Amino acid sequence: MGFPIGEQHIWSIASMHIVTDKREKLTEEELISSGFIQSQSSNTRDCYSLFSREYSWSPGYKAEFAMSEEEDDTVSIKAIPASINILWEEEYDASQEETTSFMIPAGSTIREMNLYEKSVDGIYYCNEEIAALDLLVMGNEHSELVIRKDILNQYMEKTNAKLFWNIVGEKQYFLGGHNQKWQRREGYFVYESNEINGHIRIVDDI
């Protein structure tokens, strides 16, 4: 069992963050020197504590989209996740027979842009038009939160928010069985003025 010689796998995870400290500009160089990737989990965090359709200004939302005191002390760039994954597992009392899971935008995005849900959980509207949703809700194989660019731009202008993605990944080269060589890859991409700029770097080669 294992992988044949020469088989290669490449995977990456991208997660968006909202910079919470008020700054005029955010650069890729600042993100690299901050060590943000090393201090954060790359996976979107699962949330078990929010009720369905809970108000975005509630203490629950504020707690989920806040930096911990430990994080606040270890990184020079203060940022919160732009999304979390709502997760309701099967209940022992049979009130829910299947696990429910979908990603939602940050509470500040919902609040500032007056987003709201209608008949389907996880699909957000603005002025009766779809503004954001997890593609998993629509039958996509993987969970992926998308938001309309005009809504995102309005949010940035209204709040002076700065947005970036941190990227981590690996390239695996198999030598037969489970023996392999791999490269770790890291990078940052900054969203500003309708443009996305950044790079992915090879960090090590083991």
Side-chain angles (χ1 to χ4, degrees):
M1 298 295 290
F3 300 93
I5 296 175
E7 182 166 336
Q8 300 182 65
H9 294 174
I10 297 176
W11 64 266
S12 60
I13 300 173
S15 54
M16 177 183 273
H17 288 78
I18 302 171
V19 177
T20 56
D21 54 350
K22 302 300 181 183
R23 58 176 65 214
E24 289 300 317
K25 192 171 182 62
L26 177 67
T27 66
E28 181 186 0
E29 290 72 23
E30 287 177 302
L31 289 164
I32 293 172
S33 63
S34 74
F36 187 87
I37 285 177
Q38 288 72 32
S39 66
Q40 303 287 320
S41 169
S42 301
N43 294 318
T44 301
R45 188 172 70 247
D46 289 332
C47 168
Y48 301 88
S49 59
L50 293 180
F51 295 106
S52 178
R53 301 173 185 267
E54 187 167 339
Y55 289 117
S56 59
W57 45 259
S58 71
Y61 266 91
K62 291 180 180 179
E64 288 296 334
F65 291 99
M67 293 185 64
S68 68
E69 292 182 4
E70 182 177 330
E71 290 173 331
D72 195 56
D73 291 336
T74 56
V75 292
S76 58
I77 292 180
K78 314 305 181 188
I80 62 171
S83 64
I84 59 172
N85 186 57
I86 292 288
L87 185 61
W88 300 307
E89 297 182 315
E90 299 176 43
E91 297 295 338
Y92 66 91
D93 62 357
S95 60
Q96 179 161 299
E97 297 180 354
E98 296 181 352
T99 298
T100 299
S101 175
F102 56 85
M103 295 171 63
I104 65 170
S108 61
T109 307
I110 298 171
R111 184 172 60 255
E112 295 293 343
M113 301 314 300
N114 297 314
L115 305 186
Y116 56 91
E117 295 169 282
K118 297 173 75 173
S119 60
V120 179
D121 290 332
I123 300 181
Y124 289 85
Y125 292 79
C126 179
N127 297 324
E128 293 300 297
E129 294 184 344
I130 292 178
L133 77 155
D134 185 344
L135 295 180
L136 188 68
V137 176
M138 305 299 292
N140 195 53
E141 182 180 357
H142 301 290
S143 187
E144 182 178 1
L145 182 72
V146 295
I147 184 169
R148 277 184 12 219
K149 187 168 71 172
D150 61 320
I151 297 293
L152 194 62
N153 289 343
Q154 290 172 36
Y155 169 74
M156 294 178 67
E157 182 177 356
K158 184 176 181 179
T159 63
N160 194 35
K162 303 296 183 291
L163 305 178
F164 70 92
W165 288 268
N166 65 292
I167 316 291
V168 297
E170 285 185 355
K171 179 179 180 179
Q172 299 168 284
Y173 181 88
F174 291 94
L175 303 171
H178 293 286
N179 297 319
Q180 61 179 290
K181 291 184 178 181
W182 69 87
Q183 292 175 332
R184 178 175 170 84
R185 301 173 179 208
E186 297 178 355
Y188 298 96
F189 288 82
V190 179
Y191 179 60
E192 185 178 26
S193 302
N194 281 324
E195 293 185 355
I196 299 173
N197 294 300
H199 300 87
I200 295 177
R201 301 171 294 117
I202 296 175
V203 177
D204 51 36
D205 188 359
I206 300 176

